[in-house]
Amino acid sequence: MRRIVSLVPSLTEAVAVSAPGLLVGVTDWCSRPEDLGGALRIGGTKNPDVSAIVALRPDLVVANEEENRAPDLAALRAAGVRVLVTEVRSLPQAFRELDRLLVEALGSARPGWLDDAEKAWAAVEPADALRAVVPVWRRPWMVLGRDTFAGDLLGRLGVRNVFAGHAERYPRVTPAEADAAGCDLVVLPDEPYRFTAQDGPEAFPGLPAALVSGRHLTWYGPSLVEAPTVLARALRAAR
């Protein structure tokens, strides 16, 4: 594999750090690492420029079943492009998919950071369980529901998502409905919606607010090494 296009910001970072020089195309949202060389920006995760990607003659396009749209991936395959689609809904699955991409698909040596990330999470000792609502969008309000990677990470840190049993993975839930669910805490990441101290906590009066790094909560890549420490610190600060 010599020419890779990544349609997933976290996988862009994983490939760039583990196999430098292979990326020829990345999305507009790919921000890590800061230096992506001459990789062409090929649009967003939901609206990539399929023609531009095909013109790059990639050996492989890296995608994710949640972040990217099936019609775009089908169009790439129809044009003769090989597409690897990851599915990441838990931490163990993230580790397996990263190994599948980096070692099996790209033929790289298993990166040291992946071993370090597994060790870091294996050493986590959850604090006393707290019931939390975890918004990921506003206007309309959307929260973590069932079967999500971010929800799995929080659970390992002692945070129980009160909507983990919801029928939808990202249900629309109002702050009033969250309050009625009996939460101890609201967890507000800074992506995909950028919640801040001035935008988010005021909608949940009476609930402590943990402002957390979205990259450490939702990305599966090198950020997983420091994620347990970064997230646990933010959660402790809100207690």
Side-chain angles (χ1 to χ4, degrees), residues 95-118:
F95 289 142
R96 291 194 299 270
E97 290 289 68
L98 286 165
D99 191 81
R100 180 168 74 99
L101 167 63
L102 301 172
V103 180
E104 296 179 25
L106 300 189
S108 300
R110 182 178 168 89
W113 63 260
L114 189 50
D115 292 327
D116 292 341
E118 289 188 324

